[in-house]
Amino acid sequence: MSRDISQALARWLDDDFRQIGEIAIEPQGENFELRHYRDVGRDDLKTHTDARALATCDDAGNFRPLKSAPTLRRGWSLVLAGIGELHSALDVFYPAMLGTLLSHERGELFSILLRETLARQSGMYAVTKKITDEQADAMIGDLCKSDGGCLKTILWRIAPDRAVTSLPPEKFDPTATQPPGAARTIPLLCSEACNLLVAKAREVVKRAQA
């Protein structure tokens, strides 16, 4: 299978995938228009040319530290010339997610247990190793939920014998849409707990020890 990500993106579009995260993708001949999926059907959108400016802050002007959070600003339209520009723009909105999906399709993406991620922590984050499975499960349910948390599909478990139970089954299904919607969605895949989750684990442990 080819490792050409732009070629894979064109294939996904040919298969009628029309959304990624909060972004609706509308082919227009050889070009593509992007907009927030909640703005589909609107004709009063402001035309933009800079994907990075759109991805950086939310509607209130606050910095978005997690690009996969459901906080993408609305009211804009971005027209891109060809699959190459589309690929580049989507990499700005959702860094590395297209390549991650292609690796998953090729059987080259391997999930990492939360316990393995925490076992690697040192210094001020070494304390995260002490988090219990129950604490971790509750933390993940709060921080990783699609509604207000993160739109990625989780591929990892807490431990070999401990799945995450605080989120609905579709949160772990790459064929499900995150967020729920009518369009077929290119999934954002999470193969390992992120730095924000590790930092939150430290808070949970330190609070329990206080």
Side-chain angles (χ1 to χ4, degrees), residues 18-28 31-51 54-55 59 71-80 86 89-90 93-94 151 179 183 185:
R18 289 292 181 267
Q19 188 171 317
I20 178 170
E22 293 185 286
I23 295 176
I25 307 170
E26 181 61 37
Q28 298 180 337
N31 298 332
F32 300 91
E33 184 199 44
L34 304 184
R35 60 175 64 193
H36 195 288
Y37 82 106
R38 294 187 184 276
D39 290 336
V40 170
R42 287 179 57 181
D43 57 7
D44 60 342
L45 302 179
K46 182 178 179 180
T47 301
H48 284 259
T49 59
D50 185 359
L54 294 170
D59 279 323
T71 56
L72 188 64
R73 59 189 286 192
R74 296 180 57 182
W76 53 270
S77 170
L78 184 64
V79 177
L80 305 162
L86 176 62
L90 294 182
F93 284 111
Y94 299 112
L151 296 175
T185 302

Side-chain angles (χ1 to χ4, degrees), residues 123-165:
M124 63 184 289
Y125 293 103
V127 70
T128 60
K129 301 179 181 70
K130 298 182 179 180
I131 196 169
T132 68
D133 287 352
E134 292 73 21
Q135 289 171 331
D137 203 345
M139 171 189 70
I140 294 163
D142 180 56
L143 198 68
C144 302
K145 60 187 178 184
S146 293
D147 182 12
C150 177
L151 296 175
K152 288 186 180 181
T153 298
I154 296 175
L155 302 180
W156 43 268
R157 298 166 64 92
I158 294 173
D161 58 349
R162 185 64 155 84
V164 178
T165 62

